[in-house]
Amino acid sequence: MSTTLVYLDSPSLAQGSEPGKADRELLAIAASRGDVVVAVPAELPEAATAALGAYGATAVVVPDAPLEDQLVAPHAAFVAAAAQDAGADLVLLSNTGEGREIAARAGIRLSAGVVTDVVAVGPDKTFTKSVLAGAYTAESRATTGIAVATVKPNSVEPAERGSGTAGLRAISVPQAGPAARIESTEEKPLSGRPSLDDARIVVAGGRGVEGDFAAVEQLADVLGAAVAASRAATDAGWIEHSYQVGQTGKTVSPQLYIAAGISGAVQHKAGMQTAQTIVAINSDPDAPIFEIADFGIVGDLGEILPQAAAEIQRRRA
Amino acid sequence: MSDATPLNVLVLVKYVPDAQFDRRLDPGTHRVERTDSILSELDEYAVEAALQLVEAHGGVKAGHRVTVLTMGPDGAGSAIKKTLQMGATEGVHLCDDALAGSDAAATSLALAAAVRHLGGFDLILTGMASTDAETSLVPSQLAERLGLPQLTLVSEIALEGREVTARRDGDTRTQRLRAPLPALVSVTDQFDEPRYPNFKGIIGAKKKKTHTLTLAELGLSAEEVGATGSWTEVVSSAARPARTAGTVITDQGDAGARLADFLADQKLL
Ligand SMILES: Cc1cc2nc3c(=O)[nH]c(=O)nc-3n(C[C@H](O)[C@H](O)[C@H](O)COP(=O)(O)OP(=O)(O)OC[C@H]3O[C@@H](n4cnc5c(N)ncnc54)[C@H](O)[C@@H]3O)c2cc1C
Ligand SMILES: Cc1cc2nc3c(=O)[nH]c(=O)nc-3n(C[C@H](O)[C@H](O)[C@H](O)COP(=O)(O)OP(=O)(O)OC[C@H]3O[C@@H](n4cnc5c(N)ncnc54)[C@H](O)[C@@H]3O)c2cc1C
């Protein structure tokens, strides 16, 4: 039996909600190898501890005093201390910007190898990741006793609710060293649509939408899809940067990705070419996006998207 | 920042295979084949940020320095050259055969040793991620090893006396950060567009110096870096089958309906 430390830091947990889908994926990976110790960097209501137990945690660890309002260093010190306290040989975090930063520093503190962008964890801690913008699949391992891995969402089936229970334990966190102070935090408004990370369908718009995302949003809503964008569209300020897909945005692998008015630059493809099915709508028959599209339409997105939305709605009525 | 105390900025840049061409992993070593390599595009944002910070306080005329450090093979000098053309004041090339195959832990170990060896920096700037391995691990590992506050993934940066402030944009929130110098900052591509070297910059760069460092000068042995010093290893790799083009139709006024047909056929509705 091996022990896995799972680091979870979602505000909803601290408010007593159930763990989210990505969190439950980490719990499922951990449960497949043995004991699951969950580390949460904040005080937890009883309901949250109970929910974590039900989803497979054998123990929940929190810091015995609130962490400083500082960027990642205290969190990394906490994760490293929790891993040692639990005797874990694997530490799992989510593959977000912050998750990777905490993993990076915890790796140094634990003298442990860190592997990012993981989509599968095999027996003997072999990590599968997709590299070079999706062109290769690689298997990596840590050569150290403890391994740290950051796991992408939508990688495994999330843990299901069971009848387990978990005990709560507070540990002391060692001095983290100098860190930047967080002076203010502003939450971004939620769109009400599925999040890009775990959407089954994504409808994306690029420079070709010419400033108006209404047609993209309309088709997305009919399909229950998330909205995404190319960097040309986010740079133009037509849509918030967090919707950007690509090398410096999100990497998504949905069942269906519809790219409208997007040319298909390598940096954009890096974020979406592992989608199961790709549809491209572009007025230029030579647009490179057609080279990777399962279904391509040469035409004006301003005509095609609304027609498709209306047609899908009509068929469902 | 009073102009009496010149600012000493270090920018870390990586020399990477150009993503515009086919990039390959060597089937034996699983390392990226060294073809058509360039200055990692994302590191240009860090160079731009360094230059703007210095320019906001009197520029290089006021004695401020922007040193660029890269760890990489022989050819990596060309990455440094581009940053000197953009306006960096000097280059340092950490070059040693033993470094090949270093993972993030070994890379950050060697870079931390180089930073200590060079000494005296107020600010260390990095890119948000390399454009080849893209782990984003190195900046945070350097901050941990050097005991520096990190202000990472930031799109705005400013100096207020001996403090640095920055704006960090995450998926779900925006944060304002502040730390005393010295500090480590990673700059995203949401920062201002990097400048192109102009004619004056290209001519001026010819007079600038690049200094080469070896492991021995840093007091590191070959075993501490490279594959032996790494804490991770790649055990296998395989090329994914390339995607191929499917059906392409031209809209005859009914393409929206045909898209609905396609989605229905694929059981995606
Ligand atoms: C370091 C770096 C990182 C980057 N990271 C990213 C990233 O993460 N994500 C990203 O997307 N890009 C990224 N880019 C930018 C990338 O190189 C491209 O510039 C960008 O993807 C182009 O966006 P686009 O396809 O929307 O615009 P364009 O390339 O301008 O394409 C617009 C397309 O819309 C079509 N069009 C116009 N009007 C219509 C219409 N009415 N109907 C249908 N089609 C129409 C045109 O034919 C054209 O093909 C990065 C670049 C660099 C250098
Ligand atoms: C496909 C692939 C996957 C890999 N996966 C992992 C992994 O999961 N874990 C792991 O530990 N290693 C991994 N490696 C090894 C990794 O490439 C090296 O550790 C590399 O030296 C640093 O990581 P990075 O390129 O991801 O840099 P990042 O951490 O993404 O780079 C961020 C910034 O750090 C600075 N920087 C990075 N490298 C240098 C340098 N050589 N010189 C100067 N500044 C630099 C730059 O400012 C850069 O913008 C992988 C390598 C490959 C080819």
Side-chain angles (χ1 to χ4, degrees), chain A residues 207 230-231 244-248 261 263 267-268 282 300-301:
Chain A
R207 198 192 306 278
S230 71
R231 178 161 144 192
Q244 181 179 315
V245 162
Q247 187 192 328
T248 55
S263 61
Q267 294 93 347
H268 188 78
N282 197 302
D300 179 5
L301 67 89

Side-chain angles (χ1 to χ4, degrees), chain B residues 8 83 90 92 96 129 141 151 183 191 206 208 239 255 267:
Chain B
N8 198 359
T83 67
E90 60 211 273
V92 180
D96 202 303
Q141 297 204 319
L151 300 86
F191 193 83
K206 296 195 164 80
K208 294 177 182 170
K267 311 228 173 338

Side-chain angles (χ1 to χ4, degrees), chain A residues 71-72 97-98 100-101 104-105 107-109 111-117 126 129-144 178-188 197 200-201 223 231 235 241-242 244 247-248 250 255-256 258 266-267 273-279 281 290-299 304 307-308 311-312 315-316, chain B residues 19-20 23-25 32 41-42 45 103 105 108 128 130-137 140-141 143-145 147-153 163 165 168-180 186 189-190 193 230-240 243-251 253-264 266-269:
Chain A
L71 195 66
V72 299
E98 192 150 315
R100 290 201 244 184
E101 291 172 348
R105 297 187 69 130
I108 298 296
R109 294 184 83 98
S111 296
V114 184
V115 180
T116 62
D117 302 287
T126 306
K129 63 189 279 190
S130 150
V131 300
L132 294 182
Y136 284 81
T137 304
E139 290 192 328
S140 295
R141 261 202 308 254
T143 55
T144 48
R181 203 159 71 240
I182 300 170
E183 293 197 304
S184 68
T185 298
E186 199 185 314
E187 300 295 331
K188 292 183 180 166
D197 280 326
R200 205 173 63 87
I201 302 179
L223 292 168
R231 178 161 144 192
D235 274 0
H241 171 64
S242 48
Q244 181 179 315
Q247 187 192 328
T248 55
K250 288 265 167 81
Q255 282 176 26
L256 170 65
I258 302 181
V266 274
Q267 294 93 347
Q273 63 189 351
T274 56
Q276 270 167 46
T277 301
I278 296 174
V279 169
I281 300 161
F290 288 127
E291 293 163 13
I292 60 162
D294 300 285
F295 187 66
I297 304 173
V298 179
I304 297 162
Q307 192 185 72
E311 181 62 23
I312 292 163
R315 292 186 191 187
R316 281 186 177 157
Chain B
Q20 295 295 339
R23 293 176 298 176
R24 272 197 287 275
L25 289 185
V32 187
E41 275 175 304
L42 290 172
Y45 294 91
D103 73 348
S108 62
M128 64 188 285
S130 72
T131 57
D132 54 353
E134 293 184 80
T135 67
S136 292
L137 294 173
S140 299
Q141 297 204 319
E144 180 75 35
R145 289 188 188 278
L148 292 178
Q150 73 178 80
L151 300 86
T152 33
L153 303 178
E163 288 192 323
T165 61
R168 166 175 163 104
D169 279 308
D171 284 347
T172 59
R173 60 196 181 198
T174 299
Q175 293 170 317
R176 291 253 156 219
L177 307 174
R178 178 183 293 272
S186 82
D189 67 338
Q190 297 301 292
E193 273 305 304
S230 290
W231 294 343
T232 62
E233 60 178 0
V234 181
V235 289
S236 75
S237 66
R240 267 180 196 248
R243 281 195 97 99
T244 48
T247 319
V248 180
I249 64 164
T250 300
D251 185 18
D254 62 348
R258 294 186 59 186
L259 173 54
D261 289 340
F262 172 80
L263 297 181
Q266 302 286 314
K267 311 228 173 338
L268 286 163
L269 285 188

